[in-house]
């Protein structure tokens, strides 16, 4: 009798269908779990091996047991309980051993060897279970079917595990998600074939010669009920394995999505980061190109964030960023996007068809950026500079669009009258020129091409020279003299101002120590230099190195320099005063001009800005301001020096109002020290201290 005949004529067809369902479902769940075991390591692999082995053993044993219960030999049937349980344990042990070997990786053939062990376990389980099958008759075995059943089971199991160990890309089904699912289906089919061929071929090898017939010895209905109960348990166990797989798959998907979100988000603010911005920008450019319209890229750079970090600490800077991020999140609407791409740098995107919608977005951003930020007991207005570039008007590629937005943002940063600038083609040429000039300035400092000129400061009452202001000059090899109004802001932007400021201080002090008569030298301080350098230590070091008496050095700074952090500024100024150095408040009247500043800070001189002097003859308001400042100085006991004196009438006016000192072209232009000596206004008592011919400039 062939296998098909054995199935049809000797088995209850309904229980055969149930056995096939168990075999198919169990094999499919086992295939997924085995695939997961191959894909993991460590304790996770051990867990998946346990689930896969349990599901495989249950599928194997239940398929066999239900099919055995459906077998109709025509004689009374009983089962040996011990051997039946032993057969289940064999299935479990064989499946565990086979999976362990298959996943061990000790040889390339390990998956096939493990599969072969599972096939042997299927065979041993089946024939142990057949031994537990007790019938009233003589049992004989067809060796050909028996050997064939074992060979089929071992072969198909080995193929199934070998296929399960392969990555989707290595399989014939391809590397896509569909390919991976097809591969799982192939593994499940091979496992099902291994189980089914073993059982039904093995049953064809099983032949019974009845000895007696006792129709009451067995109860077919009870056996069928037992078969259905076993089938139910099999489906429950297989279902539990499938649910565990699906839950893990769901958790993995959630973890992957969470990791992706983390990878695309800024940890401090919760806004998208640079990677998230790049992904969104690519998508927005593609969408705009496909559907029309325009896309605005807005580069945002905070104006005073570095000062906040330096003066209040990085924790304060972090709080400012968090507050701004919350504002951005509350203002963005559909088709709008804001990300943090650097320390104090943000970017925004806005798709628009009408310019009015872009202007509305810019206004909302500007409001969020310029609204005061209160943290603990202090309040700050950071402000920002914004540069806008529009796709496809200003650029047709991502890289160029970003570069153009940066250029517009730098233009806004340089223009104090505007917080938002739109890209213009001429900005490319200007940016190249500024980068070239910044490189030349770095070279000029390192090669000793900078120089210091000196402008006389005169007492009105005595007409005597009371000091000289040291003014930095740069003669470019190709472009001639560059205005300090051009290269000083450039030096501040590029961090060169610290090295330049230190060099000017040393140069001025080393020259002044030789002057006769020994008058004062005034040196300007940059706001950046005041905020970032340990100024008192630098001043003390320079005075010690050059030998200049502290009383002959005067440091000039503007009120805006100290306004950022009054407490720290007061401490710095007091340390400088303790050295014996004088302090002058420069450009008075153009900044905050707070009376509290003069009351709180130890200034030795007030310098009246030249803009008031130049308008004094034509503007009654300017004259009134001059009188008020002079009266304030006298009431506080602080001398006042007026800058920008260019005519005799201006000098007479200031003399009549009681000004203490004056400075300007009428009295002397800034000139090199050698020219002052040649004119006889200064004499040198000796050679100045030798200075290094070059200065090392930090690139950070």
């Amino acid at each position: 009798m062939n296998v098909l005949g054995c199935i049809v004529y000797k088995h209850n067809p309904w229980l055969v269908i149930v056995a096939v369902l168990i075999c198919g479902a169990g094999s499919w769940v086992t295939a997924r779990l085995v695939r997961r075991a191959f894909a993991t390591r460590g304790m996770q692999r051990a867990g998946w091996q346990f689930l896969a082995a349990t599901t495989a053993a249950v599928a194997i044993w239940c398929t066999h047991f239900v099919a055995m219960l459906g077998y109709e030999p025509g004689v009374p049937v009983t089962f040996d309980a011990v051997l039946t349980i032993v057969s289940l344990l064999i299935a479990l042990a064989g499946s565990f051993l086979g999976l362990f070997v298959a996943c061990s990786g000790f040889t390339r053939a390990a998956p096939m060897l493990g599969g072969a062990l599972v096939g042997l376990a299927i065979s041993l389980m089946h024939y142990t279970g057949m031994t537990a099958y007790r019938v009233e008759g003589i049992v004989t075995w067809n060796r050909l079917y028996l050997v064939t059943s074992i060979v089929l089971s071992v072969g198909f199991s080995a193929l199934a595990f070998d296929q399960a160990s392969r990555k989707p890309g290595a399989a014939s089904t391809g590397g896509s998600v569909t390919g991976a699912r097809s591969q799982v289906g192939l593994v499940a089919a091979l496992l099902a074939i291994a189980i089914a061929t073993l059982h039904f071929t093995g049953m064809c090898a099983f032949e019974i010669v009845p000895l007696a017939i006792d129709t009451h010895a067995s109860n077919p209905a009870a056996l069928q009920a037992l078969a259905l109960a076993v089938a139910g348990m099999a489906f429950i166990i297989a279902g539990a394995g499938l649910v565990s797989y699906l839950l893990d798959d769901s958790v993995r998907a959630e973890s992957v999505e969470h990791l992706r979100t983390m990878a695309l988000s800024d940890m401090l603010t919760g806004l998208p980061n640079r990677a998230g911005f790049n992904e969104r920008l690519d998508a927005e450019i593609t969408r705009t190109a496909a559907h029309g319209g325009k896309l605005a890229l807005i580069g945002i750079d905070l104006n005073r964030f570095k000062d906040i970090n330096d003066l209040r600490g990085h924790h304060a800077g972090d709080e400012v960023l968090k507050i701004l991020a919350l504002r951005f999140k509350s203002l963005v609407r559909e088709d709008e996007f804001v990300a943090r791409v650097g320390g104090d740098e943000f970017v925004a995107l806005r798709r628009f068809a009408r310019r009015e919608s872009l202007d509305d977005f810019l206004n909302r951003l500007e409001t969020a950026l310029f609204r005061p930020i209160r943290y603990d007991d202090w309040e700050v207005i950071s402000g920002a500079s914004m540069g806008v570039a529009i796709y496809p008007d200003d650029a047709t590629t991502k890289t160029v669009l970003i570069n153009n937005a940066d250029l517009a943002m730098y233009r806004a940063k340089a223009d104090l009258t505007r917080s938002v600038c739109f890209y213009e083609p001429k900005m490319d040429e200007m940016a190249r020129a500024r980068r070239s000039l910044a490189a030349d300035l770095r070279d000029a400092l390192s090669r000793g091409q900078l120089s210091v000129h000196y402008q006389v400061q005169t007492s009105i009452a005595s007409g005597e020279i009371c000091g000289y202001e040291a003014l930095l000059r740069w003669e470019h090899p190709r472009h001639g003299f560059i205005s300090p109004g051009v290269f000083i802001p450039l030096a501040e932007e590029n961090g060169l101002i610290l090295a330049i400021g230190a060099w000017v201080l040393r140069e001025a002090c080393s020259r002044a120590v030789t002057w006769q008569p020994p008058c004062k030298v005034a040196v300007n301080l940059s706001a950046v230099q005041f905020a970032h350098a340990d100024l008192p230590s630098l001043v003390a070091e320079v005075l010690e190195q050059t030998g200049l008496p502290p009383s002959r050095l005067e440091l000039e700074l503007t009120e805006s320099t100290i306004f950022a952090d009054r407490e720290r500024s007061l401490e710095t100024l007091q340390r400088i005063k303790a050295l014996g150095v004088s302090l002058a408040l420069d450009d008075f009247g153009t900044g905050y001009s707070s009376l509290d500043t003069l009351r709180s800070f130890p200034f030795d001189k007030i310098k009246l800005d030249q803009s008031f002097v130049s308008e004094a003859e034509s503007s009654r308001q300017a004259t009134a301001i001059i009188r008020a400042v002079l009266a304030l100085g006298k009431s506080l006991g602080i001398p006042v020096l007026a800058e920008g004196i260019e005519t005799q009438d201006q000098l007479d006016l200031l003399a009549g109002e009681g000004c203490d000192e004056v400075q300007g072209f009428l009295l002397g232009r800034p000139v090199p020290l050698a020219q002052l000596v040649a004119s006889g206004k200064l004499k040198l008592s000796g050679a100045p201290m030798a200075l290094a011919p070059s200065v090392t400039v930090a690139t950070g």
Side-chain angles (χ1 to χ4, degrees), residues 49-313:
Q49 285 176 339
F50 174 82
L51 287 174
T54 302
T55 304
V58 169
I60 294 166
W61 186 82
C62 288
T63 298
H64 164 80
F65 196 83
V66 171
M68 284 295 299
L69 290 173
Y71 185 73
E72 297 177 351
V75 293
V77 177
T78 58
F79 288 89
D80 184 285
V82 175
L83 289 177
T84 300
I85 294 174
V86 168
S87 67
L88 175 60
L89 295 178
I90 290 172
L92 286 169
S95 298
F96 279 117
L97 178 61
L99 269 167
F100 176 78
V101 173
C103 295
S104 65
F106 71 91
T107 176
R108 294 181 63 179
M112 294 195 73
L113 291 176
L117 288 174
V118 172
L120 287 174
I122 296 173
S123 303
L124 186 57
M125 180 281 305
H126 173 79
Y127 289 110
T128 302
M130 292 303 299
T131 305
Y133 191 75
R134 303 297 170 82
V135 295
E136 296 292 333
I138 300 173
V139 177
T140 59
W141 295 91
N142 185 309
R143 292 185 179 181
L144 177 61
Y145 281 125
L146 189 148
V147 173
T148 300
S149 67
I150 296 174
V151 171
L152 290 173
S153 177
V154 171
F156 281 112
S157 294
L159 288 174
F161 275 67
D162 180 65
Q163 189 68 30
S165 68
R166 299 183 185 183
K167 294 180 180 180
S172 60
T173 52
S176 65
V177 175
T178 302
R181 292 173 178 172
S182 299
Q183 190 173 357
V184 169
L186 178 59
V187 174
L190 291 171
L191 282 173
I193 293 172
I195 297 171
T197 54
L198 182 282
H199 175 81
F200 292 111
T201 305
M203 289 305 296
C204 289
F206 183 67
E207 297 179 358
I208 301 173
V209 178
L211 293 179
I213 298 179
D214 183 2
T215 56
H216 300 287
S218 62
N219 187 339
L223 293 179
Q224 290 180 12
L226 179 61
L228 293 175
V230 171
M233 290 303 300
F235 283 120
I236 290 173
I237 294 173
L242 177 60
V243 168
S244 68
Y245 176 90
L246 295 177
L247 286 175
D248 177 75
D249 209 36
S250 175
V251 170
R252 276 205 318 145
E254 291 177 1
S255 299
V256 169
E257 183 60 27
H258 179 64
L259 290 174
R260 182 179 180 276
T261 301
M262 290 179 61
L264 298 179
S265 299
D266 175 57
M267 298 301 294
L268 177 65
T269 64
L271 292 172
N273 59 13
R274 185 178 294 275
F277 158 68
N278 285 324
E279 184 178 278
R280 179 64 177 262
L281 180 57
D282 288 335
E284 292 291 348
I285 288 177
T286 301
R287 184 182 304 176
T288 304
H291 301 289
K294 296 181 180 181
L295 172 66
L297 170 59
I298 305 158
I300 305 171
D301 188 80
L302 303 186
N303 289 338
R304 293 183 50 222
F305 184 71
K306 193 169 183 63
D307 292 343
I308 295 172
N309 270 338
D310 292 338
L311 303 178
R312 294 289 181 178

Side-chain angles (χ1 to χ4, degrees), residues 305 559 646:
F305 184 71
E559 190 173 7
E646 298 183 356

Side-chain angles (χ1 to χ4, degrees), residues 480-623:
F481 279 101
I482 306 294
S483 169
V486 173
F487 73 80
I488 291 297
L490 194 62
E492 290 177 336
E493 291 175 15
N494 291 273
L496 294 172
I497 194 64
L498 300 181
I500 290 176
W503 178 82
V504 171
L505 183 63
R506 285 191 173 90
E507 171 72 11
C509 291
S510 68
R511 304 301 176 185
V513 76
T514 66
W515 293 351
Q516 290 298 332
C519 50
K520 283 189 175 183
V521 61
V523 179
N524 287 281
L525 294 177
S526 162
V528 176
Q529 186 182 11
F530 188 82
H532 298 287
D534 185 2
L535 199 57
S537 299
L538 175 63
V539 173
E541 178 187 337
V542 170
L543 291 174
E544 182 179 359
Q545 289 177 351
T546 61
L548 181 72
S551 60
R552 291 183 56 199
L553 175 62
E554 184 173 85
L555 298 179
E556 299 182 3
L557 64 156
T558 62
E559 190 173 7
S560 59
T561 300
I562 62 177
F563 189 77
D565 189 338
R566 294 174 61 85
E567 293 181 4
R568 179 181 178 277
S569 299
L570 179 60
E571 179 187 357
T572 300
L573 295 177
Q574 288 174 340
R575 289 174 60 192
I576 293 175
K577 283 282 290 184
L579 297 173
V581 175
S582 301
L583 297 171
L585 182 59
D586 199 8
D587 298 337
F588 189 79
T590 61
Y592 301 96
S593 301
S594 168
L595 297 180
D596 185 59
T597 300
L598 295 176
R599 181 182 64 83
S600 303
F601 292 89
F603 289 106
D604 302 287
K605 184 183 294 183
I606 296 173
K607 296 191 72 175
L608 181 65
D609 189 70
Q610 61 183 351
S611 62
F612 300 107
V613 175
S614 64
E615 298 176 4
E617 297 176 90
S618 59
S619 172
R620 297 177 62 181
Q621 289 86 352
T623 303

